[in-house]
Amino acid sequence: MTVQKPNSRPYARHIPGLEEIPPELSDLPIWCAWKLKQKPGKKPDKVPVSAVDGSEKWSQEGFCTTAERAIHYAESKPMLQGVGIILYREYGLAGGDTDDCINEAGEVAPHVAEIIRKADTYTEFSPGLSGFRFIARGSFGGHTGNSKAKGVEFYEDKRFLTFTGHHLEESPFAIEDRDLSELGREYFPDRKAPENGPEGATQGDKMDAMRVLSLVAQIRNDGEGVDYDTWQKVGAAIQYELGPHGFAVFDLWSRRSDKYDKDKTKGTYQSFGNYSRRPATGGSLHYIVEQQEKAAPAIEWPPLVDLDTAAPVPLPVNEWPPILRNYAQAASQETETPVELPAMLALGVLAVAGQRLADVNIKPGYFEPINLMIATALPPALRKSAEFKRAVKPLLQWEADTRKRLEPEIKKAESRLAMQKERIKQQRQMAAKEKDEHKAASLMDKVIEMEADLPEVPRLPRVYTSDVTTEHLGTMMEHNNGELGLLSAEGGIFETMAGRYNQGVPNIDLYLNGHAGDPVRIDRGSKPAVILDNPRLTIALAVQPDVLHSLSTKPGFKGRGLLGRFLYALPPSNLGNRSGQGERMDAFTESSFYETVKALLSAGENKEERDIIKLSDEAREIWQQCWQDVEAEMGENGLFEHCRDWAGKLPGAVARIAALFHIARHGQDYKASAVSADDMSAAVRTGEALASHALAVYGLMAADPDAEGAKVLIKWIKRHGLQEFTARDAFQNHKSRFDRADALEQPLQILTERGYIRPVQYKPQGPGRPSKAYQVNPAIL
């Protein structure tokens, strides 16, 4: 058997569309996403990720969802590789996996070709493109396991399988009903199922599936027409198929039902229970059918089309080095702000200190500075100013301590300078009065010599500023060894960049060069020249979302790459859910962060050359995979197609963050070791999260007012649990946003087109002109 491999790279990110998934699987709640976890020298692990909450604990309840939702989730998270399924016995699915069975010529190992022929069901290529997996509706009869020698795995319960959608054309595009027990015995003969099924159930208890379903339908009428003996047969049939494990699930479900009782007067019991101990009943089946109907949207509703990019995922702060993690989490708890705000500000402050110390060497010939540009956006009243003041405190303390240390020396130097200038003045006067040209020339030579020996007065170092013109920013950087931090709790610096002090002409070259470390030469006629050979500029801002919304209108910001240099954080607001009783950050956590930053600033004071931080081999492999993933998403129809300016700098930003994590972990001993795989992995996952925030910010920049109005209406509908409403209701509740009733027409039309609502006939309850009425899609409630 010879096959044609898909036109793809092994383990490349690929998310199948619904049309690539057999319809028998798409609506089952068995779907999740997955990501790669690199293992040096070995194949990468495939880690399942919940498409509901992003967790990796796939054994927990509520981990899975439908294919459509899993696909959408994976598409919104750039570092996820794709989607997959988890086999659960109750859905009657079985799956097989074969590894390393296809050679370069596409020839399939004979025993695998025979497995595919016998299974005769949906089969696809695995993510590594070196094997296959098949999925059928049936059972191996308990003969399951993993044979490493033969490269064959058979599973039918509690097993994660990736789903690539790379269908093997030689196999059916359907999940076929198959008895796989003979195939299972061939490879795992020692794994046997009980001959007579579960205890208390025998082959004679089997019942036609359609008969069971018809009986379940009768349960909708409280069991009317279903006698006690029939219930016994239904219970026996289900027990034979599912076994005691299935009954545990049914019993759990039934005990959650408000119908749980033991009323025998109707001829039925309301709990399935353990059939081997007592007769089967219909209550739990009734409950299960009810819950399935509630979970599935009514078939007459079209699929929902999202109004915008998926919500950004939280930063994985729990994976950051302890100095940063503990500080950010404690600050978030105290002021009850989203953890992204203190985390990003702390990272920015660390970058101010770190940029003075070192650059990171990613691979031969490729170096990155480790300064960052950060913009975190939150609405008013979320304690941005309080967190900003806390974050910059070590910078202020270091400047104050240095000022106190240098002031005596500065005063002495200023005194010597004043005295020397006075002597020069007197010498110059003597030269001017001297009539002998030879003696006058000698005096002037002395003046020149004295001027050359003028003592230099030390400047008080500055490590950050909050509000500065672009011209003076260059001067400040020159006076501080080419390095500076620009940190602010406002977004006014964007107006400065856009030309506030330059007749509206954008002036962003210094910011671009300061991010990249490119040389700067500024000559402004009468003003002193600014020369920066190796500049470093870190920016960390805490602004309101409207500031980011307006950035796309600034001339040159996107086209010249300024917006692509920022790392954005757009966490959700928690206003209305705060307790007002946040626990104060403990002194040790606060001082540990402060003292680390101050020690790093001192280590970088007057440093003539930066050190080089290298990556370990494992860290470099992880970074390279990150680069490949991002590169693949910048192509046509890729996740980053419309923000390539940002995505193109993401791998470099990940390396910068990893180097800062390394410095945070090792302090002044950062030179003693290379960046570890753990710090690089944490940086990559931070980059993944920041990518989701960047996509949201780029969507915010291009937001349509009518679409934004539609989102406001959706929040109103959800908040009040509305099943129906009128246009008049909507207007009356949103007069502060919509100045007239017809301003609602387009937002309502958008919601209608995207499946959130639909017009219905409305009968007015009183006099007056009738208003348009709408029914709400129950899937959004």
Side-chain angles (χ1 to χ4, degrees), residues 491-507:
I493 191 63
F494 288 123
E495 297 301 325
T496 300
M497 296 177 186
R500 173 193 288 172
Y501 305 111
N502 200 33
Q503 290 77 50
V505 178
N507 189 359

Side-chain angles (χ1 to χ4, degrees), residues 177-207:
D177 290 317
R178 294 288 181 257
D179 182 357
L180 303 171
S181 55
E182 182 179 345
L183 187 60
R185 277 193 296 271
E186 181 179 346
Y187 282 88
F188 302 100
D190 296 334
R191 311 276 181 88
K192 295 182 179 181
E195 294 182 3
N196 293 323
E199 179 186 356
T202 65
Q203 179 74 19
D205 288 327
K206 295 188 68 175
M207 182 181 289

Side-chain angles (χ1 to χ4, degrees), residues 94-204:
D97 201 347
T98 62
D99 292 327
D100 299 324
C101 59
I102 312 172
N103 64 21
E104 292 298 323
E107 297 172 339
V108 181
H111 73 287
V112 173
E114 184 65 11
I115 290 173
I116 294 173
R117 185 190 67 79
K118 290 180 177 180
D120 193 23
T121 186
Y122 175 84
T123 304
E124 66 173 28
F125 290 86
S126 62
L129 305 182
S130 62
F132 302 102
R133 65 184 38 125
F134 64 84
I135 305 169
R137 187 186 291 108
S139 171
F140 290 103
H143 298 278
T144 59
N146 180 353
S147 173
K148 294 184 178 179
K150 299 178 180 179
V152 174
E153 302 174 50
F154 293 159
Y155 296 103
E156 54 191 23
D157 189 30
K158 298 186 182 69
R159 178 67 180 181
F160 167 67
L161 297 176
T162 60
F163 193 99
T164 64
H166 293 313
H167 175 233
L168 177 64
E169 293 184 358
E170 289 81 354
S171 71
F173 187 75
I175 307 301
E176 302 288 357
D177 290 317
R178 294 288 181 257
D179 182 357
L180 303 171
S181 55
E182 182 179 345
L183 187 60
R185 277 193 296 271
E186 181 179 346
Y187 282 88
F188 302 100
D190 296 334
R191 311 276 181 88
K192 295 182 179 181
E195 294 182 3
N196 293 323
E199 179 186 356
T202 65
Q203 179 74 19

Side-chain angles (χ1 to χ4, degrees), residues 513-560:
N513 294 339
H515 176 270
D518 294 336
V520 173
R521 296 291 188 276
I522 302 176
D523 296 289
R524 301 289 189 191
S526 60
K527 296 181 179 180
V530 173
I531 299 176
L532 305 172
D533 291 333
N534 203 3
R536 298 290 186 273
L537 176 64
T538 284
I539 300 178
L541 308 174
V543 301
Q544 295 184 19
D546 285 347
V547 173
L548 299 185
H549 182 272
S550 67
L551 293 184
S552 61
T553 65
K554 308 295 184 187
F557 274 28
K558 190 173 193 301
R560 297 187 58 195

Side-chain angles (χ1 to χ4, degrees), residues 15-23 26-27 66-69 71 173 303:
I15 301 170
L18 275 176
E19 69 281 359
E20 299 177 83
I21 297 174
S26 59
D27 289 333
T66 61
E68 183 177 8
R69 294 178 180 177
I71 289 170
F173 187 75

Side-chain angles (χ1 to χ4, degrees), residues 38 46 157 191 217 423 467 510 541 634 673 767 781:
Q38 296 291 342
K46 295 178 280 292
D157 189 30
R191 311 276 181 88
R423 292 179 61 193
D467 186 14
L510 179 59
L541 308 174
M634 289 196 291
S673 59
L781 297 176

Side-chain angles (χ1 to χ4, degrees), residues 72-294:
H72 176 72
Y73 182 85
E75 288 176 340
S76 69
K77 306 296 180 288
M79 300 309 170
L80 294 178
Q81 294 295 114
V83 296
I85 65 172
I86 295 181
L87 300 176
Y88 295 111
R89 192 187 306 275
E90 50 262 40
Y91 295 108
L93 298 175
D97 201 347
T98 62
D99 292 327
D100 299 324
C101 59
I102 312 172
N103 64 21
E104 292 298 323
E107 297 172 339
V108 181
H111 73 287
V112 173
E114 184 65 11
I115 290 173
I116 294 173
R117 185 190 67 79
K118 290 180 177 180
D120 193 23
T121 186
Y122 175 84
T123 304
E124 66 173 28
F125 290 86
S126 62
L129 305 182
S130 62
F132 302 102
R133 65 184 38 125
F134 64 84
I135 305 169
R137 187 186 291 108
S139 171
F140 290 103
H143 298 278
T144 59
N146 180 353
S147 173
K148 294 184 178 179
K150 299 178 180 179
V152 174
E153 302 174 50
F154 293 159
Y155 296 103
E156 54 191 23
D157 189 30
K158 298 186 182 69
R159 178 67 180 181
F160 167 67
L161 297 176
T162 60
F163 193 99
T164 64
H166 293 313
H167 175 233
L168 177 64
E169 293 184 358
E170 289 81 354
S171 71
F173 187 75
I175 307 301
E176 302 288 357
D177 290 317
R178 294 288 181 257
D179 182 357
L180 303 171
S181 55
E182 182 179 345
L183 187 60
R185 277 193 296 271
E186 181 179 346
Y187 282 88
F188 302 100
D190 296 334
R191 311 276 181 88
K192 295 182 179 181
E195 294 182 3
N196 293 323
E199 179 186 356
T202 65
Q203 179 74 19
D205 288 327
K206 295 188 68 175
M207 182 181 289
D208 180 78
M210 293 306 297
R211 172 60 176 153
V212 173
L213 290 177
S214 68
L215 291 171
V216 170
Q218 292 183 51
I219 300 169
R220 303 300 296 159
N221 297 317
D222 293 327
E224 184 178 350
V226 181
D227 57 44
Y228 183 79
D229 290 339
T230 301
W231 278 121
Q232 286 185 309
K233 293 179 181 178
V234 173
I238 293 175
Q239 183 179 5
Y240 183 84
E241 295 296 335
L242 298 182
H245 171 75
F247 273 97
V249 174
F250 279 121
D251 196 46
L252 178 62
W253 279 340
S254 67
R255 291 178 188 276
R256 291 176 181 166
S257 174
D258 57 4
K259 301 180 181 299
Y260 179 71
D261 60 44
K262 295 183 179 180
D263 183 2
K264 300 181 182 180
T265 60
K266 297 182 180 179
T268 63
Y269 292 94
Q270 295 298 319
S271 172
F272 234 106
N274 183 343
Y275 180 67
S276 63
R277 299 289 189 272
R278 63 179 183 267
T281 70
S284 59
L285 283 177
H286 188 174
Y287 175 72
I288 293 164
V289 174
E290 282 186 335
Q291 296 305 306
Q292 289 176 338
E293 290 182 354
K294 289 179 181 178

